[in-house]
Amino acid sequence: MARRERSLGELYHADPERADHEVFGRRTGLSRRGFLGGAGLAGMTAAVGGTIPFAASMPGGLIPAAMAQDAAAPFSFPGKDPGLTLLGDKPLVAETPAHLLDDETTPIDKFFIRNNGIPPENTGDPNAWKISVQGLVKSPLEIALGDLKSRFQNVTNRMVLECGGNGRAYFDPPARGNQWTTGGAGCAEWTGVRLKDVLEAAGIAPGAIYTAHDGADTHLSGDSAKKPLSRGVRLEKALEEHSMIVWAMNGQDLPAIHGGPVRLIIPGWPGSASHKWLTKITLRDVEHDGQGMTGTSYRVPIKPMVPGSEPQEGNFRILESMPVRSVISSPANGTTLPAGTRKLSLRGASWNGDEGVSATHVSIDFGATWQPASMSEPRNRYDWRRWTAELDVPSDGYYEIWSRATDAKGRMQTHAAANWNPQGYGGNPLHRIAVLIG
Ligand SMILES: Nc1nc2c(c(=O)[nH]1)N[C@H]1C(S)=C(S)[C@@H](COP(=O)(O)O)O[C@H]1N2
Ligand SMILES: [Mo]
């Protein structure tokens, strides 16, 4: 049984059409009758480990959530939960499985990690760490972290930080880069000062339209001639009251792995704008052209492209506000519940880039019907909204629970990652977990 599960799962990864054919029988996708009446249902049932009460509304070609999981590589890092999923070790990249995003505020030990280069080794006395503000400013500033803390108003905001590539694993054909599922995101309390206050102290000169961020990490290759990540944002975004320079996370000194002693938090936009080990901010009169700002990096197509095709120059815009997303944080994907269970309590979180979340819905029947989850009030527009929902379950069997968030402009998560692009940004399909009852 376990063997069959795995092989079918593998087949789905390698050759979904053939797997679909195997499972659903000869009339795959085209006819629900073919699936329901034939050996297909038996095959699928065996593969997922239980009968599928809502099989009638299961889309043809759907890879059951129970099969769509890869075995995770072991992860271990000081101060981090071993349950994080390792996506790469050089540089270190690890995501948070949805069931570990079950806290109101994501604890540091469960927070995802995304490095692009080699982090600085010895950062010394945190309060002596220097940040400079230069470029199109009236009086360039160099300030030690200790002075920054006392000179500007300190603020704390709970806000989501999300990698621009979150959801990349859902693109088909696969997109280049770390295969994030839903866990390149977390919601922590950040303490620091408003970036705006610091930029205004330096005096924004006429013509400034863009920021450039530099930090103390070095290029992954070890070659000092190669430049490490350096991204920036439109000045407007930098001047928002929630854009911050932070030195504490959940009330603790910012851990080195998260950019300590000091980093930027530019909430709602790709995580790469939230520079770690921050040393310098430069105001520019042009869009920044640092590492990660050009080509198809952190860019999405303006006109949809044929999936897998060559990118056309000029058809890309910089990804700014992140798309809406939800995760079901409890139960965990793959949970088995006792036979006879007829009520399912769900917990999760939904978030969005700049506009906030207006609704979250859940479905137990492959999206045929949806019911609203009840959501907490966000503390600010970059906070996530925790939610709960209760579902009635008609019988024992295999279920998929789907969650779908809607942003304040009415845009919902898509059924599959949309707007394919070579580096896989902006993939925000609805979240699915598998639950077996009995
Ligand atoms: N200096 C520096 N800052 C950086 C990065 C980096 O590699 N170097 N990675 C960025 C990316 S791509 C993301 S998603 C976030 C991840 O932050 P975290 O590791 O604290 O979760 O940091 C951003 N800031
Ligand atoms: Mo990222």
Side-chain angles (χ1 to χ4, degrees):
M1 175 65 203
R3 214 189 141 68
R4 182 176 160 73
E5 252 180 67
R6 184 167 327 106
S7 63
L8 200 50
E10 276 167 7
L11 188 56
Y12 261 107
H13 275 292
D15 188 351
E17 263 172 40
R18 219 189 95 214
D20 199 41
H21 197 68
E22 297 270 308
V23 170
F24 289 93
R26 312 298 158 212
R27 283 158 285 178
T28 177
L30 298 173
S31 157
R32 303 313 302 162
R33 265 169 295 142
F35 164 35
L36 290 171
L41 182 55
M44 178 68 94
T45 294
V48 300
T51 57
I52 308 174
F54 289 112
S57 53
M58 191 171 186
L62 183 81
I63 301 172
M67 295 176 187
Q69 307 177 75
D70 285 323
F75 171 80
S76 119
F77 189 85
K80 286 290 179 178
D81 192 306
L84 295 192
T85 308
L86 185 71
L87 299 182
D89 52 3
K90 270 186 188 118
L92 185 62
V93 183
E95 75 167 332
T96 314
H99 69 274
L100 293 185
L101 285 177
D102 199 36
D103 298 271
E104 284 293 308
T105 303
T106 312
I108 289 171
D109 68 321
K110 293 177 185 150
F111 207 92
F112 81 99
I113 300 166
R114 174 32 166 156
N115 287 341
N116 285 268
I118 304 171
E121 245 165 46
N122 200 338
T123 53
D125 170 13
N127 287 328
W129 182 275
K130 292 217 169 69
I131 298 168
S132 70
V133 180
Q134 55 185 57
L136 286 173
V137 291
K138 290 175 185 146
S139 40
L141 194 73
E142 188 180 56
I143 188 164
L145 179 55
D147 297 330
L148 190 83
K149 290 177 179 173
S150 56
R151 186 166 156 198
F152 300 95
Q153 191 193 353
N154 291 193
V155 288
T156 297
N157 287 306
R158 190 175 77 176
M159 305 189 289
V160 170
L161 177 69
E162 180 172 27
C163 182
N166 204 19
R168 181 177 290 139
Y170 302 113
F171 282 99
D172 181 24
R176 267 196 328 271
N178 295 295
Q179 296 299 303
W180 301 101
T181 61
T182 56
C187 189
E189 276 179 18
W190 308 102
T191 300
V193 296
R194 291 185 191 96
L195 176 55
K196 167 182 188 281
D197 293 349
V198 178
L199 295 180
E200 281 171 358
I204 297 162
I209 60 158
Y210 227 89
T211 64
H213 315 149
D214 289 287
D217 51 342
T218 52
H219 193 270
L220 192 63
S221 62
D223 179 348
S224 58
K226 289 195 174 149
K227 295 193 173 123
L229 183 79
S230 172
R231 300 204 66 239
V233 293
R234 281 189 284 120
L235 185 59
E236 242 176 298
K237 178 67 182 175
L239 295 179
E240 270 186 7
E241 71 162 301
H242 292 100
S243 293
M244 299 172 68
I245 300 177
V246 311
W247 57 79
M249 184 176 182
N250 296 346
Q252 278 175 249
D253 288 345
L254 187 65
I257 192 67
H258 293 299
V262 62
R263 76 178 300 169
L264 284 171
I265 292 291
I266 307 288
W269 286 28
S272 51
S274 294
H275 220 82
K276 306 201 275 191
W277 313 292
L278 181 70
T279 54
K280 186 166 78 180
I281 298 169
T282 310
L283 295 193
R284 305 191 59 175
D285 59 0
V286 290
E287 186 177 290
H288 183 43
D289 56 0
Q291 269 304 119
M293 288 300 298
T294 54
T296 55
S297 287
Y298 299 103
R299 280 173 200 262
V300 288
I302 297 164
K303 264 194 310 171
M305 58 190 289
V306 174
S309 67
E310 283 303 310
Q312 252 185 316
E313 234 185 283
N315 185 34
F316 286 82
R317 64 168 179 88
I318 294 180
L319 175 58
E320 296 188 331
S321 180
M322 291 290 289
V324 67
R325 193 184 307 279
S326 62
V327 293
I328 301 159
S329 60
S330 178
N333 186 20
T335 294
T336 300
L337 296 167
T341 301
R342 291 297 172 264
K343 285 235 180 270
L344 216 54
S345 297
L346 309 179
R347 273 196 306 273
S350 302
W351 63 90
N352 177 45
D354 286 334
E355 293 100 6
V357 173
S358 63
T360 303
H361 289 84
V362 293
S363 175
I364 197 175
D365 53 12
F366 303 103
T369 62
W370 293 89
Q371 75 175 64
S374 78
M375 298 193 293
S376 68
E377 282 309 311
R379 298 180 187 176
N380 61 68
R381 69 187 172 117
Y382 295 106
D383 192 14
W384 64 13
R385 300 187 73 169
R386 304 291 316 173
W387 54 260
T388 56
E390 299 282 328
L391 286 173
D392 292 321
V393 185
S395 59
D396 291 354
Y398 171 85
Y399 292 91
E400 287 199 10
I401 315 300
W402 292 7
S403 73
R404 184 195 66 197
T406 306
D407 73 14
K409 289 188 171 164
R411 293 170 299 199
M412 295 175 185
Q413 289 181 266
T414 52
H415 280 252
N419 205 16
W420 190 93
N421 57 96
Q423 288 179 250
Y425 299 108
N428 67 332
L430 41 81
H431 188 218
R432 301 161 51 197
I433 61 159
V435 171
L436 190 62
I437 298 178

